[in-house]
Amino acid sequence: MKLLVINGPNLSRLDIRDSSIYGDLNYGELKSMIEIAAGKHDFEADVRQSDDEATIIAWLHEAADKKLPVIINPAAFTHYSYAIRDAAELVKTPLIEVHLSNPLSREEFRHTSVISGVANGTIGGFGPNSYVLAIIAMQNLVGK
Ligand code: DQA
């Protein structure tokens, strides 16, 4: 089964972001890890990244139209993009929010997620393994 994995702004630059917060993998390595983990759980992952809100919204519309399950790390958009929230709400297949870090243990502006309310669940704080845990959760959700 196809799985759309959407990564938001600045995640392509994990190579120069704070590795004590985001872990040691660069974006290419994270993408490969997600593809391999997805394969082990019977998914074919289409892993994408954009810094652009409109592009992410178009990808969510595509997921809604094609009925694709979605794992999304909206990055900083998590905290304020009502437009991405409204697009995520259109996805009727399962949608899981992930974060590399634990936003609730960081600055106060990261404590709000406008996405969580339209996600099946949120996984954060486990570095790249957050995505693996989300894939396992997704397998359970689509298997129901
Ligand atoms: C993030 C957490 C966000 O607060 C931050 O803006 C990011 C990455 C994470 O994966 O931990 O860019 O979504």
Side-chain angles (χ1 to χ4, degrees), residues 9 11 17 22 73-76 78-79 98-101 103 106 110:
L11 290 169
R17 293 187 83 178
Y22 296 114
N73 182 346
T78 305
H79 312 301
V98 301
H99 300 283
L100 292 161
S101 67
R106 300 180 61 198
R110 298 186 202 274

Side-chain angles (χ1 to χ4, degrees), residues 1-94:
M1 179 184 270
K2 288 197 186 303
L3 170 68
L4 184 56
V5 182
I6 299 175
N7 291 295
N10 301 305
L11 290 169
S12 59
R13 299 313 314 271
L14 290 173
D15 55 328
I16 54 169
R17 293 187 83 178
D18 188 340
S19 61
S20 68
I21 296 174
Y22 296 114
D24 288 330
L25 300 190
N26 64 37
Y27 181 70
E29 291 165 340
L30 177 68
K31 185 174 185 287
S32 301
M33 202 199 89
I34 295 167
E35 287 163 351
I36 290 166
K40 285 184 185 156
H41 293 277
D42 303 326
F43 289 110
E44 188 190 324
D46 179 353
V47 185
R48 306 180 191 177
Q49 188 277 331
S50 179
D51 297 330
D52 176 43
E53 191 176 28
T55 300
I56 292 172
I57 291 166
W59 289 343
L60 289 166
H61 291 172
E62 181 187 336
D65 292 341
K66 295 183 179 168
K67 300 186 174 22
L68 302 173
V70 175
I71 291 174
I72 183 167
N73 182 346
F77 286 140
T78 305
H79 312 301
Y80 66 91
S81 176
Y82 299 122
I84 289 179
R85 178 201 166 97
D86 285 353
E89 195 171 19
L90 302 176
V91 177
K92 301 304 178 197
T93 39

